[in-house]
Amino acid sequence: MKKFKRNTLKTLLAFIVAVLSSKGFSNGNPYRDRFQSYRQTFRIEPNPEETQRIIKNIIGKKKILDNLVDLQVPDTAEDGNVVPLTFRINCTMQKDDYPKKVHVLALENPFPEVAIYEFFSEKGTAEVSFRCRMRTSSFIMVIAEMNDGRIGVNKKYVDVMLGACS
Amino acid sequence: MEKLRRLKYKKEVQFGEDVKIKTLAEHQMETGVRRDNLTGVIYPRLIIQSVIARYNGEIVFKANWFSGVSANPYLAFFIKAKESGLIEIEWKDDHATTSYKRGYLKVLDEKGNEILPVKYGL
């Protein structure tokens, strides 16, 4: 009787832990985000597995749509410290048709997450331009999380002549 | 020492127009990965973490930045003009020190009258 009770408790606990962990890691926050929120003061090498995990955590099991994101980057950048970047989300910005969060990732950086932009409903067009750093020539990826659950992804390769010092 | 903050936009716009707002902050944006050549000491990270744009006190746009953003960060975005009022940009540091830049936006309707944020009933 005692053994049976213990076993049931064990399975229940395992189930709860599994549910919690699956929710905690797939709520759209990238894995390294928590890590980055500290003032990081040590050297770290770029890790392709880590970037794949971040992308997976952002996208999850949602459906990916093409031609939602327009991305403008130069084909070749002379200086890796200053790579100009503009993106535009093709949406009306009415009621539910707006991007909640837009992630910008440089895939070969030690910290691939470059920026997260947040937009609000009926507050202008979703177009942003800024400058980012890149260590080597690699892909730049923009992931748009729409408010109604859709996801748009665009990816472009940038050739960097002189990488940002690291 | 006061660091330079810049805010540029079209001062007088029509109703419903999309206004492009360009901002520039003077900041070193230390990544926390760079090492001193002589001593081998790593410079601690010091970046601007977030930029918040407010239009008449309401949050219109928000940016969260990590170490991948370049030094002296430039940022341009759009807001929709509905009524004339205050545009306020807030830069927040790693030390949670904030700096602000404010400006007035004048919005005109079709007849050329200014649309004020507060309506007075007569």
Side-chain angles (χ1 to χ4, degrees):
Chain A
M1 189 62 201
K2 230 177 186 180
K3 213 169 190 179
F4 174 72
K5 213 174 174 181
R6 200 179 290 161
N7 278 341
T8 46
L9 272 176
K10 258 186 193 172
T11 47
L12 204 78
L13 204 79
F15 181 72
I16 287 167
V17 164
V19 165
L20 281 181
S21 64
S22 67
K23 265 193 180 170
F25 285 115
S26 61
N27 57 354
N29 289 328
Y31 183 70
R32 252 191 197 185
D33 191 0
R34 296 173 293 151
F35 190 58
Q36 269 187 347
S37 58
Y38 296 106
R39 291 193 62 204
Q40 175 260 338
T41 51
F42 47 86
R43 196 185 178 83
I44 194 157
E45 293 305 316
N47 185 356
E49 281 176 25
E50 193 71 50
T51 58
Q52 286 309 313
R53 186 150 65 210
I54 289 172
I55 292 167
K56 214 178 101 189
N57 279 329
I58 293 166
I59 293 176
K61 284 170 187 169
K62 293 167 197 158
K63 208 170 71 184
I64 296 171
L65 290 175
D66 294 337
N67 62 50
L68 196 64
V69 184
D70 284 345
L71 176 59
Q72 286 177 36
V73 281
D75 292 335
T76 55
E78 283 185 15
D79 192 359
N81 275 317
V82 192
V83 181
L85 190 156
T86 53
F87 65 82
R88 185 195 171 85
I89 317 296
N90 296 322
C91 61
T92 52
M93 296 296 277
Q94 302 291 337
K95 287 181 182 174
D96 243 6
D97 188 24
Y98 70 96
K100 197 167 55 179
K101 271 183 184 177
V102 177
H103 302 254
V104 181
L105 307 159
L107 299 190
E108 214 84 333
N109 276 16
F111 288 104
E113 190 88 34
V114 174
I116 301 174
Y117 293 102
E118 289 173 34
F119 297 93
F120 302 92
S121 176
E122 290 168 38
K123 299 279 192 292
T125 43
E127 184 178 344
V128 168
S129 55
F130 73 111
R131 298 170 189 149
C132 71
R133 281 189 182 120
M134 287 175 76
R135 178 184 249 193
T136 49
S137 41
S138 69
F139 278 103
I140 276 189
M141 198 172 187
V142 173
I143 305 172
E145 281 183 69
M146 305 297 280
N147 199 37
D148 46 0
R150 289 177 294 156
I151 274 200
V153 176
N154 204 341
K155 210 165 134 179
K156 266 183 187 172
Y157 193 77
V158 182
D159 219 349
V160 177
M161 303 273 206
L162 189 74
C165 63
S166 51
Chain B
M1 197 181 80
E2 266 306 294
K3 291 273 190 172
L4 184 89
R5 299 281 186 266
R6 259 187 215 160
L7 172 61
K8 256 190 178 180
Y9 55 91
K10 197 176 160 190
K11 301 285 188 230
E12 256 188 47
V13 291
Q14 289 292 319
F15 175 78
E17 201 175 320
D18 274 348
V19 192
K20 187 178 189 181
I21 292 179
K22 296 182 272 186
T23 65
L24 188 83
E26 191 187 12
H27 200 280
Q28 202 178 356
M29 299 290 271
E30 191 65 60
T31 52
V33 190
R34 217 155 57 87
R35 200 184 277 270
D36 196 326
N37 281 336
L38 277 177
T39 54
V41 177
I42 293 175
Y43 301 116
R45 194 182 93 167
L46 180 57
I47 61 171
I48 291 174
Q49 277 192 354
S50 62
V51 183
I52 302 168
R54 290 191 183 86
Y55 178 33
N56 274 343
E58 204 176 340
I59 293 179
V60 174
F61 175 78
K62 216 170 174 180
N64 300 315
W65 281 345
F66 302 112
S67 54
V69 178
S70 72
N72 300 334
Y74 161 83
L75 178 70
F77 57 92
F78 286 85
I79 67 165
K80 196 170 219 174
K82 279 172 186 165
E83 59 203 11
S84 51
L86 183 79
I87 287 175
E88 183 185 55
I89 315 289
E90 178 188 345
W91 287 271
K92 200 173 178 188
D93 217 340
D94 254 350
H95 296 312
T97 53
T98 51
S99 52
Y100 295 90
K101 192 84 183 178
R102 298 179 182 90
Y104 186 74
L105 180 73
K106 199 175 178 184
V107 180
L108 306 173
D109 62 1
E110 290 165 358
K111 291 170 189 168
N113 302 317
E114 192 179 348
I115 303 169
L116 291 168
V118 183
K119 302 275 186 296
Y120 294 104
L122 290 171

